[in-house]
Amino acid sequence: MTTLSAPLTKSYPENSLEKKAYDIAEKFKDNLPLMNDRNRLGFNLYRYIKGEGDSPEVIVRSAKFTLSGITKEELAAKLNEEIAKLKNETKS
């Protein structure tokens, strides 16, 4: 029996909203040690930035992330800062 290689995935273009949302989530890899948690966070941030999802406070409280070295409140505050930076970049 052999193990197949992982499927190839396409990356989002560098200037896409999806890439920027997932990059924000990846910035917290020390605080969110599980890759799946970072992927869920990136997806939820993308939906929030598009205007379809919940705020970071609700995301962090309801998503049941495994956190390391940070509280839920601190993570939500830092996410709000990152989103504000992203919105300022897109305006200019």
Side-chain angles (χ1 to χ4, degrees):
M1 187 175 238
T2 61
T3 302
L4 298 175
S5 62
L8 298 175
T9 56
K10 287 185 177 179
S11 297
Y12 291 111
E14 287 297 320
N15 59 350
S16 70
L17 187 58
E18 294 93 342
K19 175 74 172 153
K20 292 177 182 179
Y22 281 90
D23 284 347
I24 290 172
E26 199 59 35
K27 287 181 182 179
F28 297 97
K29 66 182 175 186
D30 293 335
N31 303 117
L32 293 165
L34 300 176
M35 179 64 138
N36 191 38
D37 285 348
R38 292 191 302 273
N39 284 335
R40 282 187 291 134
L41 177 60
F43 174 73
N44 282 302
L45 290 176
Y46 168 68
R47 290 190 62 227
Y48 173 70
I49 295 167
K50 277 182 51 175
E52 298 176 357
D54 295 323
S55 68
E57 293 82 11
V58 175
I59 294 168
V60 171
R61 188 175 58 239
S62 64
K64 298 181 183 177
F65 296 128
T66 302
L67 299 177
S68 173
I70 194 169
T71 66
K72 291 179 180 183
E73 293 78 16
E74 291 170 335
L75 179 60
K78 288 184 178 187
L79 290 172
N80 279 323
E81 289 173 14
E82 292 294 329
I83 291 169
K85 287 180 196 175
L86 176 65
K87 288 182 179 181
N88 287 337
E89 288 174 7
T90 57
K91 287 182 182 177
S92 18

